[in-house]
Amino acid sequence: MLPGTGYTPAMSTPVSRRGFLKAAAVGAAATSCSHVSPKLRPRAPVAISSRNGIHAVEIAVRKMNEGLPPVDAAVIGIEGVENDPNDTSVGYGGLPNEDGVVELDSCTMDGPSGLAGAVASLRNIKNPSQVALKVMRRTDHVLLVGEGALRFARAHGFAEENLLTERARRRWLRWKEGLSDQDDWIDLSENGSHGKEYVDGHVERPTGTIHVGCVNDKGDIGGCTSTSGLAFKIPGRVGDSPLIGCGNYVDNDYGVAGSTGRGEAVILSNGAARIVRYMAEGRSPTDACLDALRDIARMTKVPRLLDAQGRPNFQVNFYAINKAGQLGAAAMRPSQHSRMTENGPEVMDSAALFGG
Ligand code: GLY
């Protein structure tokens, strides 16, 4: 139990999903009636992220230990993933829109000031989270989009570059060629050859993203989310990641929450704000994430989004930390997340609302 909190501590060692769910259920039973006092704080800085953020959380905690505010720590952690050409869901190397152009979304939120900054449909700048941080610190606005966001980034000295890697371009081209047999785009196999680059017959449309939530040892809170959004999206499509209260939300009295996965579902449920509200009511972070997922399942009505059992056929991942430093994560379907606590960096199973 965290000193004076009444909370069962976050899981400290990697466990199987079954073990985690059991432990989460015990923790939930122990905490379901308690309320989070704004005075609580963790013993040491902690951070949580999507699975792809194992290095990001480590960096974020190091930065908080060096005295950086949690929101800055989250952004610096995310920067490495934005720069990584092998992560095709974020920043440089992200999968492009249907025209083959990479468009990035990000938002930051700072608990102590209560301010937020965001950019959406930003082209040619590989670190949208840094631009979002500047919107938060250097304007009276929250969200800049498209050309306006790019001009703002230029004004602040961000370098422009082509973000489309060869790998991402090939996946986009394969998707485009597979769309229809009625147009003039055909893949190599239809012309009787088998190009080595086209090994997979089916091109996925991932909604991968990175979210990092941070709480320092003073109990101050920050969060950041960054993405290239849904692969091959309609140009200008904006997901949950740059929308405050959807892909990222912070209330310095209660906690931080963020999301990855199907952005439309998270927008429609105001996912991150809902989770922070649930934590403010006393739910543990894991329970708050699970209840938000239940809400999404309840609110998903149209058959094209449901499986044969009437459950959402898409993935949503939620991540949360409360003011006391208790971490939690849950997903619609089995998934993992990364975290950094006093136990070091760990990849752990998230609680799952439904089976695989
Ligand atoms: N969650 C990322 C997106 O839907 O754009």
Side-chain angles (χ1 to χ4, degrees):
M1 189 174 288
L2 290 168
T5 66
Y7 274 107
T8 303
M11 302 297 298
S12 57
T13 51
V15 292
S16 68
R17 185 168 60 87
R18 192 183 299 271
F20 178 71
L21 286 172
K22 207 164 137 194
V26 171
T31 62
S32 58
C33 294
S34 61
H35 277 252
V36 184
S37 160
K39 297 214 171 61
L40 299 177
R41 60 178 68 173
R43 272 200 304 255
V46 293
I48 195 164
S49 78
S50 38
R51 168 72 180 81
N52 54 351
I54 187 66
H55 299 304
V57 287
E58 212 174 341
I59 292 166
V61 165
R62 192 163 71 232
K63 292 295 168 189
M64 285 190 280
N65 277 322
E66 288 170 13
L68 251 67
V71 67
D72 295 77
V75 169
I76 292 173
I78 281 178
E79 194 177 7
V81 181
E82 289 174 334
N83 292 344
D84 179 1
N86 294 317
D87 191 316
T88 56
S89 69
V90 180
Y92 178 65
L95 290 172
N97 67 19
E98 68 179 20
D99 292 341
V101 178
V102 180
E103 288 182 332
L104 304 179
D105 301 334
S106 179
C107 77
T108 57
M109 190 158 182
D110 173 52
S113 66
L115 294 176
V119 289
S121 300
L122 177 66
R123 299 180 175 192
N124 299 346
I125 307 286
K126 74 176 170 196
N127 298 119
S129 61
Q130 295 279 2
V131 185
L133 196 64
K134 284 265 191 274
V135 172
M136 185 180 94
R137 294 249 162 82
R138 307 289 291 264
T139 78
D140 185 36
H141 305 315
V142 171
L143 174 61
L144 298 180
V145 304
E147 179 61 23
L150 178 57
R151 282 198 213 168
F152 174 82
R154 268 190 212 125
H156 281 277
F158 286 89
E160 285 182 71
E161 58 193 290
N162 177 17
L163 304 180
L164 188 67
T165 58
E166 187 57 14
R167 179 182 177 195
R169 186 191 64 76
R170 285 185 183 193
R171 281 181 68 181
W172 166 75
L173 191 59
R174 180 75 185 87
W175 168 81
K176 194 169 176 65
E177 290 176 345
L179 277 181
S180 167
D181 58 8
Q182 305 296 309
D183 62 23
D184 295 332
W185 294 83
I186 54 178
D187 74 26
L188 285 175
S189 61
E190 288 179 79
N191 266 347
S193 26
H194 300 276
K196 279 200 189 102
E197 69 266 41
Y198 295 154
V199 282
D200 52 344
H202 175 66
V203 181
E204 295 286 340
R205 297 185 67 198
T207 47
T209 296
I210 183 165
H211 166 76
V212 173
C214 292
V215 181
N216 71 12
D217 53 1
K218 297 189 195 75
D220 283 335
I221 305 171
C224 177
T225 302
S226 181
T227 190
S228 51
L230 174 66
F232 322 130
K233 60 195 172 187
I234 295 173
R237 176 266 187 190
V238 172
D240 57 325
S241 304
L243 302 183
I244 296 298
C246 299
N248 181 29
Y249 194 67
V250 173
D251 182 325
N252 213 49
D253 286 338
Y254 297 110
V256 53
S259 66
T260 61
R262 181 178 162 79
E264 283 73 7
V266 179
I267 294 171
L268 291 169
S269 61
N270 287 186
R274 184 180 289 259
I275 291 165
V276 172
R277 172 52 41 198
Y278 284 159
M279 291 194 292
E281 291 172 1
R283 277 173 245 197
S284 72
T286 300
D287 278 355
C289 292
L290 281 168
D291 281 347
L293 291 164
R294 281 190 193 97
D295 291 339
I296 289 176
R298 178 177 54 76
M299 293 161 69
T300 302
K301 314 272 191 204
V302 295
R304 71 184 167 83
L305 296 175
L306 298 170
D307 67 13
Q309 285 81 48
R311 308 173 306 187
N313 59 16
F314 50 82
Q315 179 65 303
V316 169
N317 293 270
F318 284 131
Y319 318 92
I321 316 178
N322 65 17
K323 180 122 179 129
Q326 187 188 26
L327 294 81
M332 199 67 84
R333 297 250 151 46
S335 185
Q336 293 187 311
H337 65 280
S338 298
R339 57 173 60 189
M340 176 77 182
T341 64
E342 287 174 295
N343 300 311
E346 297 167 296
V347 172
M348 297 185 61
D349 292 339
S350 302
L353 187 60
F354 299 120

